[in-house]
Structures are given as structure tokens and as C-alpha cells.
């Protein structure tokens, strides 16, 4: 059984730098995943009317994220 958890992106007055180096869209076309030169991975919600809003930002990579791939279930 899958459960969903709402994510909150928290930062100050401005979002962290995110120079996009890789992009992926999920199979259901509801989430965009971006990798950055700064080593971050960001998840974005994509609505049916093509509005994009931030969902999560993941830190931890020590190098640029240049490739994204989907994991198998």
C-alpha cells in the first residue's frame, strides 16, 4: 500500500541556487525532477494546467548532478 506525504520546501527570502543540468518527468507526468550543477535534486509538482510548484529539494551530492534515471518498482 502506498501512502503520500506532503513535502514542504523551506528556505529564506530566496530559493537556493539551482543551475539545472538534468531533467526528468515521471511516467504519470505529475512530477518534474531536476538535477543541478550545485549537487541538488529538486522535485516539482506539475498540474494539469501546466503550473509548476516546488515540492522538495534534496541535498547531499558533492558533485554536479548530470544524469537522472527512474528506479524500478
Amino acid at each position: 500500500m502506498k501512502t503520500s506525504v506532503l513535502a514542504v520546501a523551506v528556505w529564506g527570502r530566496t530559493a537556493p541556487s539551482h543551475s539545472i543540468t538534468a531533467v526528468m518527468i515521471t511516467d504519470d507526468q505529475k512530477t518534474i525532477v531536476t538535477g543541478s550543477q550545485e549537487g541538488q535534486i529538486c522535485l516539482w509538482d506539475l498540474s494539469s494546467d501546466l503550473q509548476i510548484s516546488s515540492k522538495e529539494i534534496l541535498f547531499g551530492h558533492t558533485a554536479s548532478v548530470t544524469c537522472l534515471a527512474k528506479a524500478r518498482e
Side-chain angles (χ1 to χ4, degrees), residues 62-73:
T62 57
S64 178
V65 176
T66 58
C67 182
L68 296 166
K70 295 178 260 187
R72 296 179 188 231
E73 290 186 21

Side-chain angles (χ1 to χ4, degrees), residues 39-59:
Q40 305 156 353
I41 296 175
C42 290
L43 305 178
W44 308 86
D45 279 329
L46 179 60
S47 68
S48 58
D49 60 345
L50 302 181
Q51 295 295 313
I52 300 171
S53 59
S54 61
K55 185 175 180 179
E56 286 183 75
I57 186 167
L58 309 172
F59 297 92

Side-chain angles (χ1 to χ4, degrees), residues 14-20 36-40 42 57 59:
T14 58
S17 174
H18 189 72
S19 303
I20 295 174
S36 77
Q37 185 174 3
E38 295 80 17
Q40 305 156 353
C42 290
I57 186 167
F59 297 92

